[in-house]
Amino acid sequence: MAATASEHPRRLLRGFVSPELCKELEFIHRSCGTVGYRPSVFSTTLPHLAATNCAHLILPFLPLRDRLKDTVEDLFGCEFELFVEFTGLISWCKGACIGWHSDDNKPYLRQRDFAAVCYLNSHEKDFNGGLFHFKDGEPSSIAPTAGDVVVYTADERNVHSVDEVIDGERLTLTLWFTRDSAHDEDAKLINLLSQRLLVEHIEPKPFLPLPASSCMYWLAQEKSGFDVRCARVSILGYDFCPSEGKCSMNDSPCDPLELLDGRLYLGRGDEVLDKEFVNSLHALQVVQFCGWKAAELATEREVHRAGSTRPTVLKRSNNLELLVPCDYKLGEAILGGISRHDPKPSFSWDDLVLGIARWEEYMSELHRKLLILIPYWLSNHTLSFVDATELL
Ligand SMILES: O=C(O)CCC(=O)C(=O)O
Ligand SMILES: [Fe+2]
């Protein structure tokens, strides 16, 4: 039965997103996300990835984005009519909720025709609360499960709400589709990417991230607040340490959050790894990559342990602390969740050093493919996914 046959055109698609892709998108969100548009909400949009020198991280979204558009067109009988209007990773943390609404309910949202919400993690495993409800019709309630997707029309036939998240981080990939070509996300992205292509890639590592303005990472709450980059590394047991010669809060009047834009080290307990990162996003991406690939890195370390040299680790001293005005407790209360209580794998700096190398391979491969795909996208005016090797 086509979804259009019902009074409430909608469909729940079980297991639509593979567990591997759920994890990869979680990695991207935790290493690139910014503070979102509502309290306790974080988001990673495709234009944001392009603007922070991470356009190559758009690639993992594309096969799923294409498949969702085809599925929505098929289910709702509008083949070749739709454009993607918005694609974003959105996480809701402790305290986030939304009351009854339809997704086209504001004048500036009228172009939205259909929604697809992909659940990337699971109720009761990764977060509590956050159940989805439709006001009328079936299914009436959905407990998010990693891999499931709910698609529905964005109009008043599908008024819905989301219960408050009690703890953990509830992660979705949300897309809206439109019939109005003026709101085609691809056209905007291609424009951004073509501008970037004009910038000659002479850097040896063109995939290194570039932080956005520090206010985009700052979550303010009453008299307190935290930088989401600092909070996320802290939840994994690390902190940022200043690079030699950089000011610290003690001896310089400069804005301490600006230190997160420059070179820094990673510390853990009373140790600091003797490896400079170009900025906080670079270090955060590596740390999140190591979390994503923890099992593979541990296995690889076992295999290579004999011949490898130990990484240089410094003892922390007073000038190896980056004092940013970050309320870590608040960050942990909002971002930390039930999955944090999983047994932690034993820590080794060797894994981090191996992770740095594997992170570089992962990013440089995506970047290589991106450079092949951009001219193809420019001539096709769409961001569709193709095997980059076929274009060579
Ligand atoms: O995350 C969800 O389950 C739905 C979110 C929602 O309703 C919205 O963003 O408009
Ligand atoms: Fe909604």
Side-chain angles (χ1 to χ4, degrees):
M1 185 191 71
T4 39
S6 102
E7 247 181 274
H8 304 291
R10 67 180 70 142
R11 189 66 80 84
L12 177 61
L13 309 164
R14 297 260 185 218
F16 195 88
V17 189
S18 71
E20 295 74 28
L21 184 58
C22 290
K23 287 284 169 205
E24 187 169 17
L25 295 176
E26 179 185 75
F27 153 69
I28 293 173
H29 183 62
R30 292 192 171 166
S31 38
C32 302
T34 64
V35 169
Y37 53 100
R38 299 165 64 84
S40 296
V41 170
F42 299 88
S43 76
T44 309
T45 65
L46 302 191
H48 174 76
L49 290 174
T52 50
N53 209 31
C54 294
H56 47 282
L57 288 175
I58 291 174
L59 297 192
F61 291 76
L62 296 184
L64 173 60
R65 191 170 173 271
D66 284 355
R67 210 154 58 86
L68 282 167
K69 184 159 91 74
D70 290 349
T71 303
V72 169
E73 287 183 334
D74 193 34
L75 283 172
F76 297 98
C78 45
E79 284 86 352
F80 310 114
E81 284 181 31
L82 299 184
F83 300 92
V84 179
E85 188 244 9
F86 173 94
T87 310
L89 295 164
I90 301 179
S91 69
W92 297 39
C93 294
K94 189 181 172 66
C97 65
I98 188 166
W100 296 121
H101 69 282
S102 64
D103 286 350
D104 68 353
N105 68 351
K106 300 260 162 45
Y108 62 90
L109 303 176
R110 291 278 184 259
Q111 69 281 359
R112 291 183 175 174
D113 290 304
F114 302 98
V117 181
C118 309
Y119 295 108
L120 301 181
N121 64 6
S122 301
H123 176 248
E124 287 186 335
K125 179 170 170 278
D126 304 298
F127 60 89
N128 285 308
L131 295 182
F132 178 102
H133 305 284
F134 282 114
K135 197 161 184 221
D136 306 295
E138 295 297 325
S140 64
S141 293
I142 298 170
T145 303
D148 291 357
V149 178
V150 59
V151 294
Y152 52 89
T153 60
D155 56 23
E156 67 289 345
R157 290 174 294 174
N158 280 307
V159 170
H160 57 280
S161 66
V162 179
D163 292 346
E164 182 175 329
V165 173
I166 307 299
D167 64 3
E169 184 170 14
R170 176 191 190 273
L171 179 62
T172 63
L173 172 68
T174 299
L175 286 89
W176 281 286
F177 300 94
T178 179
R179 289 189 174 88
D180 183 350
S181 63
H183 293 274
D184 178 9
E185 184 181 51
D186 289 28
K188 292 172 199 161
L189 283 166
I190 288 169
N191 189 23
L192 275 172
L193 293 170
S194 61
Q195 288 169 19
R196 249 218 82 74
L197 252 202
L198 296 176
V199 183
E200 195 63 46
H201 284 293
I202 44 165
E203 313 105 84
K205 293 180 181 175
F207 48 81
L208 288 172
L210 208 65
S213 151
S214 59
C215 63
M216 292 190 71
Y217 302 101
W218 186 257
L219 188 134
Q221 216 180 63
E222 295 182 9
K223 291 193 186 101
S224 190
F226 63 90
D227 180 282
V228 64
R229 297 164 293 185
C230 295
R232 288 207 189 271
V233 296
S234 147
I235 284 169
L236 293 175
Y238 298 91
D239 66 334
F240 296 129
C241 306
S243 173
E244 276 166 81
K246 289 282 164 71
C247 62
S248 77
M249 258 252 287
N250 294 337
D251 55 30
S252 165
C254 75
D255 176 357
L257 285 174
E258 279 175 18
L259 294 175
L260 297 170
D261 296 344
R263 295 184 173 275
L264 42 71
Y265 292 98
L266 274 174
R268 191 175 177 101
D270 63 356
E271 295 182 334
V272 177
L273 182 69
D274 189 13
K275 148 82 195 169
E276 211 175 40
F277 294 89
V278 295
N279 56 50
S280 57
L281 270 196
H282 178 205
L284 173 63
Q285 286 190 1
V286 167
V287 163
Q288 294 293 343
F289 183 87
C290 291
W292 173 35
K293 299 283 187 187
E296 288 162 51
L297 294 174
T299 312
E300 204 181 329
R301 171 162 56 99
E302 283 306 306
V303 174
H304 297 293
R305 202 202 307 253
S308 63
T309 46
R310 306 259 329 144
T312 314
V313 175
L314 313 168
K315 278 276 160 245
R316 191 192 292 268
S317 59
N318 284 343
N319 61 354
L320 282 177
E321 265 177 57
L322 191 74
L323 297 169
V324 289
C326 178
D327 186 341
Y328 289 97
K329 274 218 168 73
L330 179 67
E332 185 158 330
I334 290 190
L335 287 163
I338 49 182
S339 51
R340 287 199 57 235
H341 302 302
D342 289 347
K344 280 206 178 74
S346 63
F347 175 75
S348 160
W349 283 112
D350 302 76
D351 289 351
L352 191 77
V353 171
L354 196 58
I356 293 170
R358 295 293 166 268
W359 172 88
E360 270 199 38
E361 287 166 15
Y362 169 86
M363 292 296 172
S364 62
E365 179 58 14
L366 283 179
H367 189 265
R368 190 185 66 79
K369 287 185 181 158
L370 177 76
L371 293 186
I372 298 169
L373 284 167
I374 291 178
Y376 176 80
W377 293 338
L378 281 169
S379 57
N380 282 276
H381 308 288
T382 134
L383 233 54
S384 69
F385 184 79
V386 278
D387 183 351
T389 54
E390 285 174 15
L391 300 177
L392 287 173

